[in-house]
Amino acid sequence: METTTLTYKLIRKIKDDLFDEEFLHQYHLLINIGARDFQLSVIRPEDEKVLLLEDFVLPNLTSNEELIHILDQLFDSHALLKANFWQKIKVSVKNPKFVQVPQALFAESSIADYLKFNAHIDPAKEDVLASFNERSQAVTVFAMSSSLRAWLNSVYPNNPPVYTHQSAALIEGTMQFAEKRKDNPLYIYVDRFKLHILACRDKKLLYYNQFAIKQFSDYIRYIMLVMKSLNMDQQTSQVILWGYIGKNSPHYHEFYKYISNVTFGGEPDDLSFGYAFDEVPEHHYFDLYSIHLIH
C-alpha cells in the first residue's frame, strides 16, 4: 500500500462547552498511540475535568514510517495537536514490549536488560524507556520506536512529552479503582485486538498481562486460564469489565455464558465529566483517561 493512500478516520469527538483554546497553557494533553488507533484527551488539572475526547481509527499500517506519515497528516490537519503551550503533554504507547520491575530492584543502568526476558529490541530503531507506577511501586520498562519518539519531540520542541506505556496507565487506573473495593475481582480491559487482564489483592498488584486476540473464543480461553491460575471461580468470582464492548453486544452476552458475575467498570473517580460526555459509555477509554495518573 502506498503511503499516499493512507487515511485516518475520526470516529468520536466530544468537547465540553468549558473548553477554551485561550487556556491551553492550563491544560494537560493526553495522547494514546496504537498500531491501528489514536486517541487524545484534554484535562483541566485544577479540577481534573475532562474537556475534550477524540478517537481516530488508523489504516492497516505496516511500518513505523507509515505510522509517522499518517500521524503527521493528522497533526497537520488538527486545530490543537501542534500547539506548543500545553501545561503538560503525556504520551502513552500501546505495544507488547514491556515488563514490570519492582521499584526496589530497578536500576537505571540495567534498563535495556529487563526487556530481554520477553521482547527482542533493536537498539538502532527502538528506545527503551521507564515509567514509574506509584500505586504498584513498580517501574514499567518499555520499548518505543526511536523515530516516533524523535518525531513527537520535534512536534513539541519546547515542551517534551512525558512518555509512558498503556500497561502502566491501566495498572494505575485499575489500582485506583480497586482502592474503594473490599472484594478482589478480576479486572478486564478489552482493547482493539488486545485483551488486558489484571488482579489486585490487599492494595497490591497481583497479576497483569495482555493477550493478542484473533477470534472471540480467545477472550474466554485467556480469561478462564487466568482465573484458574488465580484460584478464582467463574461462577462466583466478580469480574469488572472496561473497554470497547457494548452492554448489548453479542460479545458481552457471550461472556455471560461462561462468567456469571460480570459488571462494567466506571470512569476514574478523580476525573469529572460534563453533560457532553453522557453519550460516551463510562467503561470506554479507561486506558486513555488513566494516563493522567502517570507523572
Side-chain angles (χ1 to χ4, degrees), residues 23-29 42-51 87-88 270-271:
F23 294 97
L24 295 191
H25 62 286
Q26 297 181 7
Y27 299 159
H28 287 182
L29 172 64
V42 173
I43 292 179
R44 185 171 62 190
E46 65 183 56
D47 56 0
E48 302 289 7
K49 192 171 187 66
V50 180
L51 299 177
Q87 184 182 111
K88 185 172 288 187
D270 57 334
L271 295 181

Side-chain angles (χ1 to χ4, degrees), residues 86-139:
W86 301 96
Q87 184 182 111
K88 185 172 288 187
I89 301 164
K90 300 181 182 182
V91 175
S92 173
V93 295
K94 303 199 287 186
N95 64 43
K97 296 187 176 184
F98 70 95
V99 66
Q100 307 294 327
V101 182
Q103 183 187 12
L105 302 178
F106 177 74
E108 187 76 33
S109 59
S110 301
I111 187 170
D113 295 327
Y114 296 123
L115 273 180
K116 291 180 180 178
F117 292 105
N118 68 347
H120 172 72
I121 307 300
D122 186 345
K125 296 183 178 181
E126 294 175 296
D127 295 339
V128 179
L129 307 174
S131 180
F132 175 58
N133 295 354
E134 181 178 358
R135 285 175 174 80
S136 65
Q137 291 295 297
V139 178

Side-chain angles (χ1 to χ4, degrees), residues 13-23 27 42 44 47 49-53 272-279:
K13 179 176 180 178
I14 306 293
K15 184 164 73 171
D16 193 287
D17 291 339
L18 296 176
F19 181 87
D20 191 337
E21 293 186 20
E22 297 296 319
F23 294 97
Y27 299 159
V42 173
R44 185 171 62 190
D47 56 0
K49 192 171 187 66
V50 180
L51 299 177
L52 180 67
L53 165 72
S272 61
F273 298 81
Y275 69 89
F277 286 83
D278 288 349
E279 68 180 76

Side-chain angles (χ1 to χ4, degrees), residues 71-205:
L71 290 179
D72 196 42
Q73 289 183 349
L74 197 162
F75 276 54
D76 271 341
S77 63
H78 200 278
L80 302 171
L81 277 171
K82 285 200 168 181
N84 257 286
F85 30 89
W86 301 96
Q87 184 182 111
K88 185 172 288 187
I89 301 164
K90 300 181 182 182
V91 175
S92 173
V93 295
K94 303 199 287 186
N95 64 43
K97 296 187 176 184
F98 70 95
V99 66
Q100 307 294 327
V101 182
Q103 183 187 12
L105 302 178
F106 177 74
E108 187 76 33
S109 59
S110 301
I111 187 170
D113 295 327
Y114 296 123
L115 273 180
K116 291 180 180 178
F117 292 105
N118 68 347
H120 172 72
I121 307 300
D122 186 345
K125 296 183 178 181
E126 294 175 296
D127 295 339
V128 179
L129 307 174
S131 180
F132 175 58
N133 295 354
E134 181 178 358
R135 285 175 174 80
S136 65
Q137 291 295 297
V139 178
T140 302
V141 178
F142 63 99
M144 178 180 181
S145 161
S146 301
S147 56
L148 176 59
R149 185 183 177 212
W151 179 79
L152 285 164
N153 286 340
S154 72
V155 173
Y156 305 111
N158 302 318
N159 191 7
V162 173
Y163 292 100
T164 190
H165 191 268
Q166 182 189 26
S167 63
L170 282 173
I171 288 170
E172 286 296 287
T174 300
M175 293 192 71
Q176 182 195 63
F177 185 87
E179 287 174 353
K180 65 181 181 181
R181 300 185 67 94
K182 295 181 180 180
D183 59 348
N184 297 300
L186 190 72
Y187 298 98
I188 295 174
Y189 182 77
V190 177
D191 198 0
R192 293 160 178 148
F193 318 108
K194 285 280 173 59
L195 169 68
H196 303 256
I197 304 179
L198 306 93
C200 305
R201 189 167 296 163
D202 300 325
K203 296 186 178 181
K204 294 181 180 179
L205 180 68

